[in-house]
Amino acid sequence: MNYYIVIPAHNEQELIGLTLQSLISQTVLPKKVVVVNDNSTDKTEEIVLEFSKENPFISVVNKTSDAIHMPGSKVIQAFQKGFETLDSDYDIIVKIDGDLIFPPNYFETVITHFQSDARIGMAGGFCYIEKNGDWVLENLTDKDHIRGALKAYRKETFQQIGGLKPAMGWDTVDELLCKFYNWKVVTDASLHVKHLKPTGANYNKTARYKQGEAFFTLGYGFWITAIASAKLSMMKKKPLLFFDYIKGYWKAKTAKTPLLVTPEQAKFIRNYRLQKMKEKLF
């Protein structure tokens, strides 16, 4: 199976080389890697071009955009720019961040998952961050969720869910739409990926309300949003974030922000979320 990788990158000169090194060391190499140099003011582009000399499957695309790092929209707009430069001769499309180190067997293992079952639509490993000299699981989500930093999609699945949505919540709605269309999402705990920059390290203050807005645009409704907000703020060990999330939800509702999903999909998502919550309680 052919796989293509798109890497949105903004000022990643310190880390992008480590990511690319881990990609050219894969037991099954990608057919194409596109790094989208998104408004970088450092040497990101030069480092990628250096790699592309020895590895012609690596290329760089330059994009100019707002320098403010907002979760969701900016990164997916960059992904889209890179994706548009690719042909359709792939079986798996991958979106990764430019601050990851993959184990050498990562993509070989992911391909094996896709080959094992034609209904697997997404597959991925887990992000680990360094704490006091140890690499520990970056524990922000459930074990059945694939982090936005390392998404791999079967081509048919990617097309059916309509690609990636340029909004915060894109890396949740993709999996919920997978379930809506009856695709399976597989996580592999044996695949440990080093995440060199913890999630959200660069987000600005307005980003705090974006999570609540995302819950609204996913069609969660208030009560599921309240439970999800409480859980996420506790996982982040910042209980006061709960109020930011709720405020963000009401801001989005008051502004009549459009949903990322259809009414039918929103209903499915609410039922699915409630079902998952019940399973955990009983």
Side-chain angles (χ1 to χ4, degrees), residues 170-188:
W170 70 269
D171 57 342
T172 303
V173 76
D174 60 346
E175 291 183 17
L176 293 168
L177 290 177
C178 265
K179 303 263 188 348
F180 178 79
Y181 290 114
N182 212 22
W183 294 98
K184 295 176 187 171
V185 177
V186 170
T187 55
D188 187 331

Side-chain angles (χ1 to χ4, degrees), residues 76 79-80 83 90 93-95 114 119-123 146 151-166 169-185 218 259-262 265 268-269:
I76 298 306
F79 168 86
Q80 197 56 35
F83 180 69
Y90 64 91
I93 185 75
V94 182
K95 180 258 166 218
F114 281 117
R119 290 312 298 170
I120 291 176
M122 293 175 63
I146 301 168
K151 296 279 196 174
Y153 307 84
R154 188 184 293 275
K155 182 186 194 173
E156 294 77 10
T157 309
F158 186 79
Q159 290 171 341
Q160 192 168 26
I161 67 173
L164 306 185
K165 317 274 186 211
W170 70 269
D171 57 342
T172 303
V173 76
D174 60 346
E175 291 183 17
L176 293 168
L177 290 177
C178 265
K179 303 263 188 348
F180 178 79
Y181 290 114
N182 212 22
W183 294 98
K184 295 176 187 171
V185 177
L218 291 168
L259 299 191
L260 293 176
V261 292
T262 66
Q265 289 166 346
F268 169 85
I269 286 168

Side-chain angles (χ1 to χ4, degrees), residues 19 22-23 26 96 100-104 106-107 149-150 192-194:
T19 301
S22 77
L23 294 180
Q26 290 296 306
I96 64 169
L100 303 171
I101 299 177
F102 292 90
Y106 185 88
F107 287 101
L150 36 73
H192 294 199
V193 178
K194 291 178 175 176

Side-chain angles (χ1 to χ4, degrees), residues 9 21 50 54 65 122 211 236 276:
Q21 189 59 49
E50 204 51 47
E54 300 288 317
S65 76
M122 293 175 63
Q211 185 66 61
K236 290 188 172 182
K276 294 286 282 185

Side-chain angles (χ1 to χ4, degrees), residues 3 11 70-71 89 123 165 168 209 216 220 237 244 265 282:
Y3 69 99
N11 287 349
M70 287 295 279
D89 193 24
K165 317 274 186 211
M168 176 133 179
Y209 304 120
F216 175 80
Y220 276 17
K237 297 185 172 62
D244 290 337
Q265 289 166 346
F282 306 113

Side-chain angles (χ1 to χ4, degrees), residues 1-269:
M1 293 179 93
N2 289 346
Y3 69 99
Y4 290 177
I5 299 177
V6 180
I7 311 175
H10 171 70
N11 287 349
E12 292 287 9
Q13 68 175 14
E14 307 300 326
L15 306 173
I16 191 76
L18 297 169
T19 301
L20 293 175
Q21 189 59 49
S22 77
L23 294 180
I24 63 175
S25 309
Q26 290 296 306
T27 50
V28 177
L29 287 173
K31 280 281 183 281
K32 294 189 178 177
V33 176
V34 179
V35 178
V36 183
N37 177 37
D38 189 6
N39 224 37
S40 296
T41 52
D42 64 1
K43 292 189 164 67
T44 297
E45 184 186 11
E46 290 164 48
I47 292 163
V48 179
L49 289 172
E50 204 51 47
F51 270 89
S52 67
K53 286 179 191 168
E54 300 288 317
N55 307 279
F57 57 87
I58 296 176
S59 63
V60 68
V61 175
N62 287 307
K63 181 181 189 302
T64 51
S65 76
D66 201 344
I68 297 170
H69 187 56
M70 287 295 279
S73 56
K74 183 174 157 67
V75 74
I76 298 306
Q77 284 162 6
F79 168 86
Q80 197 56 35
K81 174 120 182 161
F83 180 69
E84 284 163 7
T85 68
L86 295 167
D87 57 51
S88 58
D89 193 24
Y90 64 91
D91 304 295
I92 301 164
I93 185 75
V94 182
K95 180 258 166 218
I96 64 169
D97 288 352
D99 58 355
L100 303 171
I101 299 177
F102 292 90
N105 68 330
Y106 185 88
F107 287 101
E108 182 181 357
T109 308
V110 164
I111 288 167
T112 304
H113 282 299
F114 281 117
Q115 288 173 332
S116 73
D117 182 345
R119 290 312 298 170
I120 291 176
M122 293 175 63
F126 287 91
C127 289
Y128 281 69
I129 52 172
E130 194 173 10
K131 267 198 179 158
N132 308 322
D134 287 326
W135 287 93
V136 298
L137 183 66
E138 190 176 19
N139 194 17
L140 291 175
T141 51
D142 292 343
K143 300 289 188 288
D144 59 356
H145 171 68
I146 301 168
R147 297 290 303 282
L150 36 73
K151 296 279 196 174
Y153 307 84
R154 188 184 293 275
K155 182 186 194 173
E156 294 77 10
T157 309
F158 186 79
Q159 290 171 341
Q160 192 168 26
I161 67 173
L164 306 185
K165 317 274 186 211
M168 176 133 179
W170 70 269
D171 57 342
T172 303
V173 76
D174 60 346
E175 291 183 17
L176 293 168
L177 290 177
C178 265
K179 303 263 188 348
F180 178 79
Y181 290 114
N182 212 22
W183 294 98
K184 295 176 187 171
V185 177
V186 170
T187 55
D188 187 331
S190 75
L191 295 174
H192 294 199
V193 178
K194 291 178 175 176
H195 197 189
L196 304 172
K197 252 190 337 208
T199 301
N202 295 335
Y203 293 162
N204 68 7
K205 286 281 186 284
T206 43
R208 293 185 320 194
Y209 304 120
K210 283 284 177 189
Q211 185 66 61
E213 184 182 309
F215 289 151
F216 175 80
T217 58
L218 291 168
Y220 276 17
F222 179 73
W223 292 110
I224 296 175
T225 293
I227 296 165
S229 297
K231 181 181 159 193
L232 187 58
S233 56
M234 294 321 257
M235 281 175 106
K236 290 188 172 182
K237 297 185 172 62
K238 291 180 180 173
L240 291 177
L241 279 176
F242 172 80
F243 299 102
D244 290 337
Y245 297 158
I246 296 297
K247 189 173 178 183
Y249 174 87
W250 285 113
K251 278 174 81 165
K253 190 174 172 70
T254 308
K256 294 188 167 60
T257 306
L259 299 191
L260 293 176
V261 292
T262 66
E264 185 192 3
Q265 289 166 346
K267 186 180 174 186
F268 169 85
I269 286 168

